[in-house]
Amino acid sequence: MDWSYTIWIPLLPLIGFLIIGFVGRKLPYPVPGLIGTTGIFGALVLSYITAYRYFFVANTAGSFEPIKGVEMLWMTFSDKLHFNMGVLLDPISVMMLVVVTTVSFLVHLYSIGYMKGDPGFGRFFTFLSLFTFSMLGLVVATNLFQIYFFWELVGVSSYLLIGFYYEKPSAILASKKAFIVTRFADFFFLIGILVISYYTGTFDFLTLNGMSESTLASVGSASFMGMSVLALGLTLAFIGGAGKSAMFPLHIWLPDAMEGPTPVSALIHAATMVVAGVFLVARLFPMYYHVDGGSVLHIIAFVGATSSLIAAIIATTQMDIKRVLAFSTMSQIGYMMLALGVSGYEGHHGLGYTASMFHLFTHAFFKSLLFLGAGSIIHAVHSNYMTKMGGLRKYMPITHITFLLAALAIAGIPPFAGFFSKDAILDAAYMHNKIYFWIGWFVAGLTAFYMFRLYFRIFWYEDREYHHTPHESPLTMTLPLMILAVLSVVAGFVFFYFLPFGTYITPTGEEFHMHIDYFLAGISVLVGIVGIVIAWIMYFKKNDKAEKVAKAFGAFYKWTYNKFYIDEIYMFVTKKIMFGIISAGWMWFDTYIVDGSMNLIGNTTVKTSHALKKIQSGKLQDYVYGVVLGVVALAVIFIYIWTR
Amino acid sequence: MIQGIGVTDFFIISTLMFFMGVYGFITRKNLITILIAIELILNAVAINFVIINKYLYPEGLHGQIFSIFIIAVAAAEVAIAIAIVIDFYRTHKSVSVEEGEMMKY
């Protein structure tokens, strides 16, 4: 089968980016939006065609082999060192194509309404198209170099979009923070890539994943600090993934990234870019599983579980609705990481991997729906703080219903999407390690609680007076909400019963049968309902129970409200210790020796030139005088030479 | 060949003319005077061409043709220079060369 057309999936948004960026930015509303949306719509259609052909036409034998749709040489340095670019089609990349193009298309559509009247309308769509191109390039990467290349591109576009409102100092700070933190993590990723490719001699994912346990053990036989080098390389790569996916303790950028426009939060910081870390681990999963007997996976599971717990606890206390959603995202990505970390490889043991991808898939829909709903609310109320909201259900019926559906989905209530994927994750955790299961179970309860706290606080709680009566958003904004709401409702059982994920997306490519463990499902739904009921008691009607509970927790509440002071710890470490103590000597050297010598050269030049410029007097006769003197001098010299 | 006058006498004349021109060029402030000084320099050179042709290479005509060239070029140059001077006068209300020092550092 011919797959060469798949190159157009990332290229169409790139063309959109170039057109809007170079000629379309000043075009009147809504032309730049339409150009961007058209480009991504083309990519969407091609992705769906690819998914259909890949899953239902090309691979009918029940096993899904990776296919290289396109592969070309990008740069050659020597015979051994050359970089390729291409399109790799395998179950997870095809699934990611569908997720990214779907969410991106709906977010583009939504943004046409949301960004109306913004002076940066064209600029917004330029960056959004750039991001979509980068993300699509990332998911179809055929090798470590290509994934790193696009990894940095999504980082840049995320930076540009977080800092979109560049008049606001807080947005600038947030964009810098996001860029520096993720870049710091990417540095480890780069070292990881170098280590892995140095020892295995290849960048190619198929070659890397195709290596058997014994091959990996022999090529990575060197050891470093008690780990084999390949395990070290994979751990470093995971640190890069953890930075992008906002895992504890590199999560500090994600809540601040909410300074960007809300559609950006929905697309980048909920559905696509932040799951790049999960995708990276899944992409190299056979390697993670085989190197050192899967020791790196233990780290991943631990980090995932910790992040999901910490984020869920913080989310229960935040007052900014977008920050609640940001911490919720971090918590759900922690779930995905946990699922990958506890996953086995063959057959039904690969459930964790499948569950992780399944949760990534469903989460993309309901979390972007929550963010877009939040955007719709912010659009109407002009505030991010839930204290400024309440009783909105009467004013915004569509947003209300879609938000409720998404909240039910994330709370894991059957038959909504989140139930199936979360149940699969808990199932996988239970098979591996009971402690992880109970952490996941507790987080499920917390998730239901904070999500319904948000829901009740925004849409019920009290009937308050608004300065401007809030109104429902226009159709370009509510249509994506409705589509995503439908997906959030059906994505779970359709992909559990009719097109089961276990058939299509597994570590080995061989299908296995997914089923529900009714005991585990029962207790996780139970804890979800308990969370919802507590939220209902505390926030359904205006009362002071929430304050009382906060008081009862005392210092712990204060800690949590301040996000466990992790930002402050970072500030202390960077400002006081690194800048203040460690680099003070270098600072002195840099200021006085390096800068000093350069300033000396510069100042000398300036002073000399000030003196010399007097020569250019502008007076014609001075110049002629110079010429005559020169001629006389030359004449004397020549006469002296010739008459000697 | 002119009887009774040697080639040296002509050279003395043309040298005097040349350096008078150079001196005038450097010291005068009036643009018209400077133009006259330039004419002196050109004509000194033209005399040299003719005299060297006549006394040293009488069989040829190169020097005389060159002096004709110089006369033609000088005419053209004067036309342009006068135009510049007139324009200069319009903008600066003066023909003093010291006014024309805008193009300095």
Side-chain angles (χ1 to χ4, degrees):
Chain A
M1 281 182 116
D2 180 34
W3 298 95
S4 55
Y5 70 88
T6 50
I7 191 75
W8 289 100
I9 296 173
L11 285 187
L12 284 175
L14 176 66
I15 293 169
F17 160 67
L18 293 174
I19 293 176
I20 308 169
F22 284 116
V23 293
R25 276 199 299 154
K26 300 287 172 213
L27 290 179
Y29 176 86
V31 178
L34 292 180
I35 298 171
T37 314
T38 313
I40 183 65
F41 183 71
L44 174 90
V45 171
L46 286 179
S47 298
Y48 281 16
I49 293 170
T50 310
Y52 174 75
R53 278 164 42 115
Y54 184 79
F55 285 122
F56 303 110
V57 183
N59 294 301
T60 45
S63 158
F64 296 101
E65 295 299 324
I67 296 168
K68 273 188 182 159
V70 182
E71 169 109 81
M72 56 198 170
L73 198 62
W74 177 257
M75 278 194 267
T76 318
F77 291 100
S78 68
D79 287 343
K80 281 188 79 176
L81 183 63
H82 56 88
F83 296 141
N84 286 1
M85 288 271 179
V87 176
L88 177 66
L89 299 170
D90 74 344
I92 57 169
S93 72
V94 174
M95 181 208 75
M96 285 298 286
L97 283 180
V98 170
V99 171
V100 172
T101 51
T102 307
V103 176
S104 183
F105 172 68
L106 293 172
V107 166
H108 271 75
L109 199 60
Y110 178 93
S111 305
I112 294 178
Y114 186 84
M115 298 304 285
K116 184 175 182 179
D118 192 294
F121 188 79
R123 189 161 53 90
F124 181 79
F125 277 92
T126 314
F127 294 160
L128 215 54
S129 293
L130 174 66
F131 170 76
T132 309
F133 157 67
S134 324
M135 192 66 208
L136 290 169
L138 192 154
V139 299
V140 298
T142 57
N143 54 61
L144 277 169
F145 167 75
Q146 188 184 351
I147 207 169
Y148 185 73
F149 184 97
F150 285 103
W151 190 271
E152 295 296 349
L153 266 180
V154 288
V156 169
S157 26
S158 158
Y159 163 80
L160 291 170
L161 283 164
I162 296 169
F164 181 76
Y165 297 122
Y166 56 79
E167 308 91 347
K168 267 192 352 195
S170 59
I172 298 296
L173 286 177
S175 64
K176 277 197 286 192
K177 187 172 177 182
F179 191 75
I180 293 168
V181 174
T182 52
R183 193 65 197 71
F184 173 72
D186 293 350
F187 178 63
F188 292 98
F189 184 25
L190 180 61
I191 301 173
I193 290 175
L194 295 178
V195 170
I196 294 169
S197 56
Y198 179 76
Y199 283 96
T200 57
T202 179
F203 288 107
D204 193 77
F205 284 134
L206 295 184
T207 324
L208 285 171
N209 285 338
M211 289 183 176
S212 68
E213 206 161 336
S214 50
T215 324
L216 285 169
S218 65
V219 294
S221 56
S223 83
F224 181 79
M225 297 204 316
M227 290 169 110
S228 85
V229 278
L230 282 184
L232 178 77
L234 288 173
T235 312
L236 291 171
F238 169 67
I239 293 175
K244 206 59 119 195
S245 287
M247 291 287 95
F248 177 82
L250 294 167
H251 65 276
I252 51 163
W253 64 272
L254 185 62
D256 289 22
M258 298 301 134
E259 288 291 342
T262 310
V264 169
S265 309
L267 176 61
I268 303 186
H269 306 118
T272 54
M273 189 193 81
V274 287
V275 296
V278 179
F279 178 77
L280 175 71
V281 176
R283 168 56 78 218
L284 284 171
F285 187 75
M287 219 182 151
Y288 273 103
Y289 186 74
H290 285 130
V291 168
D292 262 15
S295 62
V296 186
L297 288 178
H298 295 307
I299 302 173
I300 295 174
F302 179 76
V303 171
T306 319
S307 305
S308 101
L309 183 62
I310 287 176
I313 293 172
I314 297 175
T316 57
T317 58
Q318 297 301 305
M319 299 308 280
D320 180 332
I321 60 172
K322 282 181 77 182
R323 287 194 179 222
V324 173
L325 293 175
F327 279 108
S328 163
T329 306
M330 177 182 159
S331 170
Q332 299 299 311
I333 294 167
Y335 257 157
M336 298 171 206
M337 285 288 189
L338 170 64
L340 280 174
V342 299
S343 178
Y345 192 61
E346 299 275 331
H348 197 263
H349 296 291
L351 176 66
Y353 177 91
T354 307
S356 174
M357 291 297 108
F358 194 14
H359 199 57
L360 193 164
F361 185 76
T362 56
H363 174 257
F365 298 133
F366 56 68
K367 184 52 65 66
S368 52
L369 172 54
L370 286 168
F371 266 112
L372 294 181
S376 175
I377 293 157
I378 292 165
H379 200 69
V381 183
H382 304 293
S383 170
N384 281 9
Y385 286 92
M386 56 173 85
T387 46
K388 300 269 171 65
M389 298 166 191
L392 281 172
R393 68 186 181 286
K394 279 178 274 180
Y395 304 107
M396 313 178 75
I398 299 173
T399 311
H400 168 226
I401 297 298
T402 51
F403 201 91
L404 174 62
L405 291 174
L408 285 169
I410 194 174
I413 303 301
F416 298 101
F419 165 72
F420 294 95
S421 53
K422 191 175 281 187
D423 181 62
I425 288 178
L426 292 177
D427 206 354
Y430 190 78
M431 288 199 298
H432 180 81
N433 185 332
K434 304 277 184 296
I435 295 171
Y436 287 148
F437 169 76
W438 290 112
I439 292 176
W441 178 81
F442 182 57
V443 171
L446 284 175
T447 308
F449 170 71
Y450 67 67
M451 217 25 103
F452 275 84
R453 166 176 178 260
L454 199 60
Y455 167 73
F456 286 128
R457 193 65 185 75
I458 295 172
F459 293 103
W460 300 81
Y461 201 64
E462 58 176 335
D463 290 326
R464 56 184 298 150
E465 295 293 314
Y466 291 96
H467 287 303
H468 317 275
T469 313
H471 53 89
E472 185 58 279
S473 305
L475 187 67
T476 49
M477 286 169 72
T478 49
L479 184 69
L481 291 181
M482 290 185 271
I483 296 171
L484 283 168
V486 171
L487 288 170
S488 304
V489 174
V490 303
F493 62 81
V494 166
F495 290 98
F496 192 83
Y497 290 114
F498 303 117
L499 303 164
F501 249 62
T503 310
Y504 298 106
I505 293 168
T506 58
T508 49
E510 309 285 334
E511 66 174 288
F512 71 87
H513 185 66
M514 288 169 84
H515 57 81
I516 295 182
D517 182 327
Y518 287 99
F519 168 67
L520 297 181
I523 58 173
S524 59
V525 171
L526 188 70
V527 75
I529 290 172
V530 169
I532 295 174
V533 169
I534 295 174
W536 183 73
I537 294 169
M538 286 169 67
Y539 296 101
F540 186 67
K541 278 268 184 326
K542 185 171 180 156
N543 58 53
D544 58 353
K545 290 191 190 94
E547 282 83 20
K548 280 183 188 157
V549 175
K551 272 218 187 76
F553 275 104
F556 186 72
Y557 175 79
K558 199 158 170 273
W559 274 15
T560 316
Y561 185 72
N562 289 304
K563 303 167 219 154
F564 295 116
Y565 296 104
I566 293 167
D567 278 307
E568 282 74 9
I569 294 170
Y570 267 97
M571 283 316 272
F572 178 76
V573 170
T574 52
K575 269 237 166 80
K576 290 269 156 53
I577 298 181
M578 278 168 64
F579 293 159
I581 300 170
I582 298 174
S583 40
W586 287 109
M587 177 79 179
W588 181 88
F589 184 81
D590 192 59
T591 318
Y592 293 102
I593 309 295
V594 178
D595 287 3
S597 58
M598 287 303 134
N599 285 343
L600 184 70
I601 294 171
N603 288 341
T604 316
T605 315
V606 169
K607 289 213 174 89
T608 320
S609 61
H610 270 293
L612 281 176
K613 78 176 184 184
K614 297 280 172 354
I615 291 172
Q616 193 193 0
S617 63
K619 291 194 172 94
L620 180 67
Q621 289 167 326
D622 287 358
Y623 303 152
V624 176
Y625 195 60
V627 172
V628 171
L629 282 183
V631 169
V632 170
L634 282 176
V636 170
I637 290 168
F638 284 129
I639 290 166
Y640 174 74
I641 292 170
W642 287 332
T643 55
R644 206 149 49 111
Chain B
M1 198 89 65
I2 301 163
Q3 288 295 314
I5 306 173
V7 69
T8 339
D9 304 331
F10 281 106
F11 281 162
I12 289 166
I13 292 291
S14 71
T15 310
L16 281 174
M17 268 175 80
F18 183 84
F19 282 102
M20 278 152 67
V22 170
Y23 176 78
F25 194 99
I26 293 172
T27 54
R28 294 285 130 181
K29 300 300 173 200
N30 191 322
L31 279 170
I32 306 289
T33 325
I34 290 173
L35 209 56
I36 293 167
I38 293 173
E39 288 302 312
L40 275 178
I41 296 171
L42 285 168
N43 285 326
V45 175
I47 289 172
N48 264 10
F49 271 119
V50 174
I51 294 306
I52 288 169
N53 183 205
K54 194 78 182 165
Y55 280 83
L56 303 183
Y57 306 101
E59 69 279 8
L61 283 170
H62 305 67
Q64 298 187 30
I65 288 171
F66 262 104
S67 65
I68 290 172
F69 264 121
I70 288 170
I71 290 162
V73 171
E77 173 251 310
V78 165
I80 293 169
I82 290 292
I84 291 171
V85 170
I86 290 169
D87 203 53
F88 188 88
Y89 180 75
R90 279 192 189 147
T91 53
H92 291 73
K93 297 284 167 235
S94 157
V95 288
S96 169
V97 73
E98 296 200 311
E99 298 290 318
E101 53 164 35
M102 282 165 75
M103 303 286 277
K104 67 180 173 188
Y105 46 86

